[in-house]
Structures are given as structure tokens and as C-alpha cells.
Amino acid sequence: MEFGKKILCIGAGYVGGPTMAMIAYKCPQYRVTVVDINPARIAQWNSDDLPIYEPGLEEIVKTSRGKNLFFNTDIEGGIKEAEIIFVSVNTPTKTFGSGMGMAADLQYWDKTAKQIRKFAESDKIIVEKSTLPVKTALAMERILTATNNGIHFEVLSNPEFLAEGTGIKDLEDPDRVLIGSRETPSGLKARDSLIEVYANWVPQDRIITSNVWSSELSKLVANAFLAQRISSINSISALCERTDADITEVARAVGMDRRLGNKFLNASVGFGGSCFKKDILNLVYLCRHYGLEEVADYWQGVVTINEYQKERVITNMLSTMFNTLAGKRICLFGFAFKANTSDTRESPAVTISKRLIEEKAELVITDPKALDNAKMDLDTIEGNISYVEDPYEASDGCDAIAVMTEWEAYKNLDFEMIYRSMAKPAFIFDGRNILDHKILFAIGFNVFPIGKPPLTHFK
Ligand code: UDX
Ligand code: UDX
């Protein structure tokens, strides 16, 4: 069969894999290939055990794989063949040199641009999918055109807004698709070619266009605004705990104002995930680079409150459990950074586990999907840590349960049975406010939610 468009994606990660699977699924007339430097990851994409857990992903991969969706490591062949190349290699925070701990590490991005230049034999549209500092497309253009080989590369920015756990739904029914291009005839032509891809399933009014720089910046700003809401509500949760106000009631009253809306107002143990912290630090770094110190300080505050919230969980545990955690068994309910994913990158549970070990607590970690990642995250930490899939077994004999992830399954456990098997006094720290606190209290637990008055049996 002759395919209408040949699309390549470099980087088979959380973003590249699902996004390409959706394009292949919605556009059987296109050939979509995903390449990666990591052969083990590609082998997993070609197996029954996909490298990432995302509800609905397996079904769409199975429908298209081998028909118009292919996963392999032939980067050279892929570049030669494709008309449109999405780049979705990772762009972590720099761990060395200038900008260490703040700026984006663009080494994979740079290397990928050079690979494209080396192997390309015809004109290409290059689409930035990774989240990047504003003006990266310019660097990309400079690398691609440095050898002046007569090939025309048009760089577009098309940031991905999917959230993990709802990635497939977000891809299928996005709030918006943003395409940034140069306003030159070739830029606009490339833009239209990418619009054509998304128009196969996304309504035209949700496909928006802008210049390249606005598009690059919009992704950073969208993540910064989302994270800011969480830090805002979490900062108020601390005040609620001092004043007997209830954060759920406050969030409800605030969120009913239609100008504010009710989403992203759940107080928690802090935000995690691969994007929020990295992108805000990147934004802060950019602002400092341009001499905008006040703006940089403003956004830095969002990250500072998030660190504060995680530390507050530990200090609350310490003060309520009689100022010592040494030798106490604490069961973490959930390790993923949010429900419905196995991803633990920047999960608050990682920081909280490390702090609990510093306090010489014993840890039992349970999670329906993320135990393998948890083991890798805590691999180098010396301490008493065990990993138990069954929450009943995990909490058996523990002094406290601390809810880290809002897994639906935790709401429906038999807490009477759990209470009977735990050491007394038994504590529950509900870091996601998902449990029925009154029932837990009636069972006998001492209950410590986030941003609400605790329910304790102590006189
Ligand atoms: C992506 C974006 O790249 C990041 O900027 C954004 O903020 C979040 O989404 P993600 O898909 O989560 O990152 O990253 P990851 O799961 O680490 O996948 C990146 C893949 O690229 C890996 O499989 C890696 O092996 C591959 N890669 C990396 C290459 O194929 N070539 C390289 O040179 C470097
Ligand atoms: C985020 C953005 O939502 C997405 O648009 C972007 O493409 C990538 O980054 P993701 O990190 O996958 O997606 O998950 P998200 O649902 O945004 O949650 C991030 C973190 O915030 C999680 O740890 C989550 O538990 C936490 N959170 C979210 C809260 O603590 N409270 C809330 O009300 C919402």
C-alpha cells in the first residue's frame, strides 16, 4: 500500500510512543515509525508488555502495530524515508556545568538535530514535541542548515499537553493542538501539512497556530500555571491546619467562581511528574537569563512551596507520632506521582521515602503499578525498605499508613481488617484526602488529612 504521509518520531518515551500510536490509529493512510536509541525500549514496544502503562494505550497500539505503526532502532533509515519528523527525545534538567539544576539539558536534542542533518536526503518538516526553552527552534535551524547541503528543513513547534494516566483521552480529545511556525511561505506550508495530520480527528477550531516562540513558551507557561494552582492550594492547606478551616470546603467555595474553575485544586503531598518542576526551573532560568529577576523569583516560589509541602508531611508525621519515627513501620500507599500510571519521576513519594529513612523509620511500599520503578528509585538508599503489592499484607504490623497516590482502589479497602492487623495506636496520613476520614476515625485510627483538622483519639 502507498501511504499518504510518512511520519517518523525520534524518541519512544511517554510522549513519543502514545502520540504516534494515536496518529497511526486515527490515520491509517499514513505510515508512522517510532525510533529510539534504546533497543530494549523498542523491543518492549513490539511486545505484549508495553514500556509504559497508560489506560487505553495497549488497544490502540495493537490495532495499528505492524500495519501502519512500526517501532525500530533504524534511525538512519527512518530519517531518509520520512517527510515529517517529530522529535521527542528527553530534555531533563542539566546536572552539570552552567545552569546546573535549572536549565534544560539539550545534548540529546543537539545530537538528534545533527543525525537528521547527516542522514536526510530530501526536504523535511521537523516538529518539536519535547518541551524546550523558548528559541530552541532557532538553534535547531542553525544546526540543520550549518552544512548548507541544499536540503530545506522547516522547524515547527507542536508541544504535547497530554497528562499521564489520561494520555489517550487527552490525545483523542485534546483541549487544543498548538502549532507554531515561521510566518514565511515555507513555514506556513509546513504548518498546513501538520494541521492536515491532526484534522483527521481534531475539530478545526481546536487546532490553533502561532509563531514558533509563542508556541514554545506556551508549553512552559501552561505547566507553570497548572503547578502554580497546586502550590497555591497547598500553601493554603498549611494555613487551614492552623485555623481549623477545611481545605476541601475552601477549594469548593473558591472553585465555584466560574472565573477560577474547580480543576487542579486538590491539596496533596505535592506535585510530581517529569514536567512541572523541570519546566518551571527552566522558566526561572530563562527569566534570569533575560535579567527579569522579579519574574524569576515569582515562579521560583511555586517550586519552593512544593518542597515545603513535602517537608511538611514529614514534620507532621514526626510531631504526631511522638517526635520519633525511629524503628516505626510506615506503609506508603502508592508510589507513582499520580494515579493510573507506573511513572515515579519526581514523585513526592521518592523525597518522602528518603526523608523517612533519614528519620530511621522502616518503610513498606505498596503500589498497583509502580513497584518496579520504586525499587529503582530507592536502589541506592540504605535502610529497611520492603515492597509489597498487596495493601493488606503491606500494612500488616505497621504503625502508620501514608497515602501518597490517589489510586481508586485505596478507597474501597476493608479498613477494619487493616486496623486490626496494625500496631496501636494506628495512624493514617491521607496525603491525597481520598479516604473517608470519619469512618476511619470510628474504626479507631488517628486520622491526619491534608489541610483539615485531624481526628484523634488522644485526650
Ligand atoms: C518528553 C519530552 O522529551 C520532554 O521534553 C517533555 O517535557 C516530556 O516528554 P518523555 O517522553 O517523558 O519526554 O521522555 P522519555 O520517556 O525519557 O523518552 C525519551 C526517549 O528518547 C527515550 O526512550 C530515549 O531512549 C530516547 N532518546 C533519547 C533517543 O532516542 N535519542 C536520544 O538521543 C536521546
Ligand atoms: C502535566 C500537565 O498536566 C500536562 O498538560 C503536560 O503535558 C505534562 O505535565 P502530568 O505531569 O502527566 O501532566 O500530570 P498532572 O495531572 O498535571 O499532575 C501533575 C502532578 O500534580 C501530580 O503529581 C498530581 O498528583 C499533582 N496534582 C494535580 C495535585 O497535587 N493536585 C491537583 O489538583 C492536580
Side-chain angles (χ1 to χ4, degrees):
M1 164 174 171
E2 206 28 57
F3 288 102
K5 281 188 201 295
K6 295 195 183 94
I7 295 174
L8 177 74
C9 176
I10 304 180
Y14 282 87
V15 170
T19 311
M20 292 306 118
M22 184 57 72
I23 293 180
Y25 179 69
K26 293 290 183 185
C27 316
Q29 72 278 27
Y30 303 157
R31 182 184 162 92
V32 181
T33 306
V34 188
V35 293
D36 200 289
I37 45 168
N38 181 349
R41 197 163 237 200
I42 289 297
Q44 278 180 298
W45 279 109
N46 283 320
S47 75
D48 285 337
D49 189 17
L50 299 183
I52 57 176
Y53 171 72
E54 192 64 57
L57 175 65
E58 198 174 312
E59 290 78 0
I60 64 164
V61 169
K62 283 192 172 157
T63 307
S64 310
R65 197 171 57 190
K67 296 193 187 92
N68 70 326
L69 175 66
F70 303 91
F71 295 92
N72 64 54
T73 52
D74 181 11
I75 299 176
E76 177 176 348
I79 292 171
K80 286 202 163 87
E81 182 187 77
E83 296 142 50
I84 303 179
I85 302 178
F86 287 86
V87 182
S88 122
V89 299
N90 40 338
T91 50
T93 303
K94 259 185 103 174
T95 54
F96 55 89
S98 168
M100 180 168 77
M102 299 290 289
D105 181 351
L106 296 174
Q107 61 171 311
Y108 307 118
W109 188 261
D110 187 274
K111 200 184 87 199
T112 303
K114 286 179 182 144
Q115 277 178 329
I116 295 173
R117 186 183 69 198
K118 182 170 168 202
F119 298 127
E121 293 171 348
S122 55
D123 294 352
K124 312 278 174 203
I125 298 171
I126 312 297
V127 187
E128 297 178 344
K129 254 297 169 209
S130 308
T131 306
L132 295 160
V134 58
K135 289 278 174 181
T136 303
L138 188 62
M140 185 93 178
E141 281 171 6
R142 286 181 179 154
I143 296 172
L144 290 168
T145 54
T147 54
N148 205 2
N149 56 5
I151 295 173
H152 183 75
F153 296 100
E154 194 63 46
V155 182
L156 301 177
S157 161
N158 170 221
E160 184 48 64
F161 295 103
L162 71 81
E164 285 175 38
T166 53
I168 298 305
K169 201 182 123 286
D170 297 342
L171 285 166
E172 189 149 34
D173 184 25
D175 286 350
R176 77 308 208 180
V177 166
L178 173 60
I179 302 175
S181 70
R182 291 273 191 186
E183 272 139 22
T184 55
S186 62
L188 297 177
K189 190 166 163 242
R191 183 191 79 182
D192 290 345
S193 182
L194 190 56
I195 290 177
E196 208 182 302
V197 172
Y198 286 106
N200 281 287
W201 78 97
V202 180
Q204 287 280 1
D205 60 351
R206 279 195 250 157
I207 305 178
I208 58 171
T209 59
S210 71
N211 75 36
V212 186
W213 326 124
S214 309
S215 173
E216 289 180 333
L217 188 57
S218 298
K219 174 63 200 259
L220 289 183
V221 172
N223 275 347
F225 272 51
L226 288 167
Q228 180 201 38
R229 266 177 86 95
I230 303 168
S231 279
S232 296
I233 202 77
N234 281 344
S235 71
I236 300 302
S237 76
L239 185 58
C240 286
E241 285 167 30
R242 296 288 162 84
T243 55
D244 285 344
D246 179 322
I247 197 66
T248 309
E249 291 174 354
V250 174
R252 178 163 169 251
V254 170
M256 278 179 75
D257 186 324
R258 272 177 289 179
R259 292 169 302 176
L260 293 169
N262 61 5
K263 304 263 168 55
F264 261 65
L265 285 177
N266 293 322
S268 66
V269 284
F271 59 75
S274 71
C275 289
F276 281 177
K277 185 175 172 194
K278 163 173 85 75
D279 292 351
I280 296 173
L281 291 179
N282 193 198
L283 186 64
V284 169
Y285 183 77
L286 278 168
C287 294
R288 295 213 194 281
H289 171 81
Y290 290 106
L292 304 170
E293 295 300 330
E294 288 79 358
V295 186
D297 291 345
Y298 176 75
W299 289 105
Q300 178 72 51
V302 174
V303 175
T304 306
I305 288 289
N306 200 48
E307 300 304 322
Y308 165 76
Q309 187 75 350
K310 289 186 271 185
E311 188 54 31
R312 248 166 42 73
V313 173
I314 303 295
T315 42
N316 276 347
M317 277 187 175
L318 258 174
S319 64
T320 51
M321 292 176 79
F322 321 116
N323 293 314
T324 175
L325 298 174
K328 290 186 178 154
R329 264 173 96 77
I330 296 175
C331 182
L332 296 190
F333 268 27
F335 202 85
F337 82 98
K338 63 187 276 194
N340 297 320
T341 175
S342 57
D343 195 352
T344 60
R345 290 178 292 177
E346 296 292 339
S347 177
V350 179
T351 320
I352 289 168
S353 297
K354 289 181 182 167
R355 283 289 290 111
L356 289 172
I357 291 292
E358 274 172 25
E359 297 295 337
K360 301 204 180 310
E362 294 177 15
L363 285 190
V364 188
I365 297 172
T366 181
D367 190 290
K369 295 282 175 198
L371 283 191
D372 288 345
N373 283 332
K375 282 178 203 160
M376 282 191 275
D377 293 332
L378 302 177
D379 188 37
T380 56
I381 305 298
E382 281 195 26
N384 192 331
I385 311 178
S386 47
Y387 303 88
V388 182
E389 195 150 325
D390 178 55
Y392 294 103
E393 206 187 308
S395 50
D396 190 4
C398 287
D399 296 276
I401 290 172
V403 179
M404 295 285 112
T405 314
E406 71 282 20
W407 287 103
E408 196 60 31
Y410 296 152
K411 295 181 189 167
N412 307 316
L413 296 172
D414 180 346
F415 278 99
E416 288 200 26
M417 194 165 111
I418 290 178
Y419 180 73
R420 282 197 298 274
S421 78
M422 285 176 66
K424 307 293 172 333
F427 295 84
I428 286 199
F429 298 90
D430 186 355
R432 297 286 185 165
N433 288 342
I434 54 165
L435 304 178
D436 188 326
H437 303 141
K438 286 199 179 113
I439 290 183
L440 294 174
F441 176 67
I443 291 172
F445 284 103
N446 297 295
V447 188
F448 292 84
I450 294 271
K452 293 170 191 273
L455 301 170
T456 76
H457 297 281
F458 303 122
K459 295 282 171 292

